[in-house]
Amino acid sequence: MRPRTVRCVHSPDAVPPVRATDARPGGSGGRNANARGPRGRGFGQSVLVVAALGVVFGDIGTSPIYTIQTIFNPGDPHPIHGSAENVYGVISLIFWSVTLIVTVEYVLLVMRADNDGQGGILALITLIRRSGGSGGRRTKLVLAALGVFGASLFFGDSMITPAISVLSAVEGLKVVKPSLDQVIVPITATIIVVLFAVQRIGTARVGRLFGPIMVVWFLAIAACGVRGIAEHPQILKALSPTYAGGFLIGHFTTAFFSLAAVVLAITGAEALYADLGHFGRMPITRAWLLLVFPACILSYMGQGALVLRNPGEALSSPFFMSVPDWGRFPMVLLATAATVIASQAVITGAFSVAQQAVQLGYLPRLGVRHTSEREIGQIYVPWINWVLMVSVLVLVFAFRTSTALAFAFGMAVTGTITITTLLYFYVVRNRWGKPLWLVLVGAGGFLGIDLLFFAANLTKFLHGAWLPVLIGITVFTILTTWQRGRVLITARRQQQEGALPAFVEELHDQRPPVLRVPGTAVFLNRGKATAPLAMRANVVHNHVLHEHAVILSIETPPIPYVAIDDRVVIDDLGYADDGITHVTANFGYMEEPNVPGALALAGEAGLERAIDLDETSYFLSTIEIRMGNAPGMARWRKRLFVATSRLTTDAAEYFSLPREGTVIMGSRIEI
């Protein structure tokens, strides 16, 4: 008998059906499901653009606070003097770096590579895996490992960004009143705790709260930039690429060391891509091109004009010095709010990367809360949230100044961007089939820029750049250890489970037949390829099987709600008279997986034997992982794998099983 889809109009777990086209992933533009007609869609897009300002662009949008200051910092191990020639060269490098890397590479190119609407470096790994036979297997493995390391570096970015962003804004108090220097770190720590505490309310609500503030922020920094340009309009000459090129060629040593800080102007590019699933490509693109990009460039140009006019005083804090005296304290408050939002960009990006790591098998099943019925990417991951908070606080109290953290910041950014470029152009060639010459030209140009930035940041390795590398290696070790351990455990579990068709056939032919007791037993399983361990244990050790045995698997398609007609799929496995049935229950990403409700629906829809939920027992197959001498991993990695396995969420609670009717059975597997 072929599997069939159940058709039914009533069920205990019924929810209003939502068409898949009404809840499209963000990669197609993040369309609001309630928007109707051109006017409604336009309004929905406008709301998403403002919300994106409050989540996506905080990181890159607050870089003007500390970038110019860091470049001309006299305490830098390779200081750049504030001569007119250097200022023109630096401002030109910033403009063309932001234009080429953020606007051209990320906004116009990389964000087109989405995985069902999801962005980020792990989305690229998924696309590479889906590229089928094109490309060598070894190449794919190397690129996947690079991608995982890039994602690990992004977690380092997620820790450093909140610390440096909020610190740099609160440090503006020293410009207003030097005596406030001692309260900067405590105020920063308080703000960070509050920021992470509000994550549970959801990205969309945070975006609606922060979006209008960021609109004011970008308008304010643009106005200050225009003010500086008006007083020294010659700075506009820096828009010419001849100044960037001449600076690199004529003063290569100075320009090379400046790149280690120029990269701060493009921090947030990877967060922009990782947040793709939260709002969609079009709202992010519009916000960048219409407001964020012009405002940031005007701010950099205005600060450059100020340094040209008054280098001695301006270099201490060019951003806040570009603000009129009467507006400096309000600007400190606005900058603090903006940098809190900057932290939001990488926090939500970290949530997206963590979820994708779970889906790809690099992390155990973490508790994930979906906070929007419209966008599948809007999520909250409690465990990641609190780990990030503790890490950020440690960095704040350890480094204490944004200048000290700036030395560490660029390494994580350049490493992630370089890896993203490699993966993206592999997808362009092997998945999209673009001409080789075009790929070589594009990849060669962008990689040349990326590697130049990366090499410049290596000069800061002993001055703090080692930190993101250490974080990246640590996270990479955790991710790859879980992935490797999961493969080993799955292989050994499949050996114990055996094939489901063979097991059912064995039961059918067994003489004398196994004792069948009254009632219904539901065995949760990952699919119908193997027999559930709990079911096999019940037959082998207890020599019994319930009269009705249902093997149930949960599937989660990328839509918020599954229509009732498509809730369950029933397969009698070819032995309808034996009372053994496989049921696939489909739940949307906004639905809580409710196993009893799905079973009730299957019963109403014509399951061969009616299910009495009051007489139903639920069996979970669990694995107790123990340290052993089995080959496959070093002993220290086995310890790490066992420790990481404790993060897995409780299955009975996750699937809404009644505690009094749930039996946990399983076995022990040594790793």
Side-chain angles (χ1 to χ4, degrees):
M1 178 178 176
R2 297 176 60 187
R4 65 185 187 280
T5 302
V6 169
R7 305 293 177 189
C8 185
V9 294
H10 302 289
S11 78
D13 67 336
V15 296
V18 176
R19 297 190 304 272
T21 52
D22 286 340
R24 298 167 64 188
S28 55
R31 180 172 298 178
N32 190 310
N34 289 333
R36 293 291 181 264
R39 184 176 179 180
R41 288 195 295 270
F43 176 75
Q45 286 289 309
S46 299
V47 171
L48 282 175
V49 168
V50 174
L53 288 171
V55 175
V56 178
F57 296 104
D59 188 2
I60 200 166
T62 54
S63 296
I65 298 176
Y66 49 80
T67 299
I68 302 294
Q69 175 182 330
T70 303
I71 292 173
F72 295 106
N73 174 28
D76 191 287
H78 306 97
I80 310 298
H81 300 293
S83 65
E85 195 171 26
N86 288 350
V87 172
Y88 280 115
V90 163
I91 298 300
S92 189
L93 280 177
I94 290 175
F95 172 73
W96 287 103
S97 297
V98 174
T99 299
L100 292 174
I101 295 180
V102 183
T103 304
V104 177
E105 181 177 3
Y106 271 87
V107 174
L108 299 182
L109 296 178
V110 174
M111 285 207 305
R112 295 179 181 273
D114 68 281
N115 173 38
D116 294 329
Q118 294 295 308
I121 202 165
L122 290 181
L124 288 174
I125 295 178
T126 306
L127 292 177
I128 289 173
R129 287 182 172 182
R130 290 180 176 180
S131 60
S134 58
R137 180 176 179 274
R138 180 172 298 179
T139 301
K140 290 183 179 181
L141 290 175
V142 172
L143 290 175
L146 277 175
V148 174
F149 185 68
S152 303
L153 287 174
F154 180 76
F155 279 111
D157 187 12
S158 303
M159 297 173 188
I160 299 174
T161 294
I164 189 174
S165 298
V166 179
L167 265 175
S168 65
V170 179
E171 284 171 351
L173 291 173
K174 293 190 296 184
V175 178
V176 177
K177 192 174 183 180
S179 61
L180 295 175
D181 180 65
Q182 297 301 317
V183 300
I184 289 175
V185 171
I187 290 176
T188 299
T190 302
I191 292 171
I192 287 170
V193 170
V194 173
L195 170 66
F196 282 97
V198 301
Q199 292 302 311
R200 66 181 65 192
I201 70 175
T203 302
R205 296 178 184 176
V206 171
R208 286 194 294 269
L209 174 66
F210 286 166
I213 298 175
M214 290 305 293
V215 172
V216 175
W217 166 256
F218 287 119
L219 293 176
I221 66 173
C224 292
V226 170
R227 175 176 176 265
I229 294 170
E231 294 180 357
H232 199 95
Q234 291 87 345
I235 191 64
L236 292 174
K237 294 189 296 183
L239 295 177
S240 171
T242 58
Y243 281 88
F247 190 45
L248 279 171
I249 297 172
H251 304 82
F252 180 77
T253 302
T254 302
F256 178 74
F257 287 127
S258 73
L259 288 176
V262 169
V263 73
L264 299 177
I266 61 174
T267 58
E270 184 62 29
L272 179 150
Y273 180 38
D275 284 331
L276 178 62
H278 292 258
F279 300 100
R281 184 168 61 88
M282 288 311 299
I284 293 175
T285 301
R286 291 173 182 174
W288 171 255
L289 295 177
L290 297 178
L291 181 59
V292 181
F293 180 49
C296 289
I297 295 304
L298 286 172
S299 179
Y300 288 125
M301 301 290 289
Q303 291 180 58
L306 177 65
V307 174
L308 284 175
R309 191 174 67 253
N310 186 8
E313 182 181 1
L315 287 177
S316 62
S317 183
F319 176 80
F320 288 105
M321 294 299 292
S322 67
V323 182
D325 292 343
W326 58 266
R328 285 178 184 169
F329 185 71
M331 181 58 84
V332 170
L333 297 179
L334 181 59
T336 301
T339 52
V340 168
I341 299 166
S343 306
Q344 183 67 47
V346 291
I347 293 171
T348 54
F351 292 162
S352 296
V353 172
Q355 184 192 37
Q356 292 175 60
V358 172
Q359 293 170 343
L360 289 170
Y362 289 101
L363 280 176
R365 186 179 65 232
L366 301 175
V368 176
R369 301 178 190 174
H370 293 275
T371 58
S372 171
E373 299 184 6
R374 309 302 177 210
E375 295 296 325
I376 189 171
Q378 294 185 6
I379 59 174
Y380 166 65
V381 186
W383 192 84
I384 296 295
N385 187 68
W386 302 123
V387 168
L388 284 179
M389 187 191 75
V390 172
S391 302
V392 171
L393 289 174
V394 169
L395 291 178
V396 168
F397 286 107
F399 284 83
R400 305 189 70 82
T401 68
S402 61
T403 302
L405 272 169
F407 296 147
F409 204 12
M411 182 62 75
V413 175
T414 54
T416 305
I417 290 176
T418 302
I419 294 171
T420 297
T421 302
L422 281 169
L423 300 184
Y424 170 74
F425 280 101
Y426 183 88
V427 170
V428 170
R429 173 60 180 165
N430 291 279
R431 184 172 174 83
W432 298 345
K434 299 299 181 181
L436 180 60
W437 68 266
L438 182 63
V439 172
L440 291 177
V441 170
F446 286 117
L447 282 175
I449 299 172
D450 297 342
L451 292 174
L452 193 60
F453 276 114
F454 185 76
N457 276 273
L458 284 176
T459 64
K460 301 292 192 288
F461 190 83
L462 298 179
H463 304 281
W466 57 267
L467 177 63
V469 175
L470 177 62
I471 295 173
I473 291 174
T474 301
V475 176
F476 179 79
T477 302
I478 294 172
L479 297 182
T480 54
T481 296
W482 177 261
Q483 192 271 343
R484 176 59 180 164
R486 185 183 62 84
V487 169
L488 295 175
I489 290 295
T490 299
R492 290 163 193 165
R493 177 171 180 164
Q494 288 176 344
Q495 290 177 354
Q496 291 189 10
E497 291 174 336
L500 178 59
F503 180 68
V504 174
E505 184 175 356
E506 180 183 339
L507 286 175
H508 178 77
D509 297 336
Q510 183 173 330
R511 295 293 181 270
V514 66
L515 177 64
R516 307 299 289 265
V517 297
T520 300
V522 178
F523 301 91
L524 271 71
N525 204 35
R526 293 165 298 168
K528 57 182 180 181
T530 60
L533 279 177
M535 184 178 185
R536 184 177 291 276
N538 219 23
V539 171
V540 173
H541 298 290
N542 298 330
H543 308 292
V544 297
L545 186 64
H546 285 68
E547 183 181 4
H548 303 156
V550 177
I551 302 167
L552 189 137
S553 303
I554 303 293
E555 297 290 341
T556 306
I559 55 177
Y561 297 108
V562 171
I564 297 303
D565 288 349
D566 301 320
R567 175 71 73 198
V568 293
V569 178
I570 301 172
D571 183 358
D572 64 10
L573 302 174
Y575 293 93
D577 296 334
D578 287 353
I580 302 175
T581 307
H582 183 274
V583 175
T584 301
N586 298 297
F587 290 93
Y589 68 82
M590 283 299 298
E591 299 177 278
E592 296 293 332
N594 189 313
V595 169
L599 289 173
L601 177 57
E604 292 179 10
L607 191 64
E608 276 69 10
R609 299 172 188 251
I611 296 177
D612 183 356
L613 293 179
D614 293 332
E615 298 294 329
T616 297
S617 299
Y618 302 89
F619 292 81
L620 289 175
S621 304
T622 62
I623 296 294
E624 181 184 358
I625 303 172
R626 288 293 185 91
M627 290 281 296
N629 297 320
M633 281 202 304
R635 195 162 185 82
W636 66 269
R637 294 188 74 190
K638 292 179 180 180
R639 292 193 182 96
L640 179 59
F641 177 79
V642 172
T644 307
S645 68
R646 299 191 178 102
L647 301 177
T648 305
T649 55
D650 180 72
E653 179 180 351
Y654 183 80
F655 294 118
S656 303
L657 302 180
R659 290 286 183 178
E660 65 279 4
T662 301
V663 179
I664 298 177
M665 302 179 67
S667 64
R668 176 183 300 173
I669 292 181
E670 291 189 351
I671 187 172

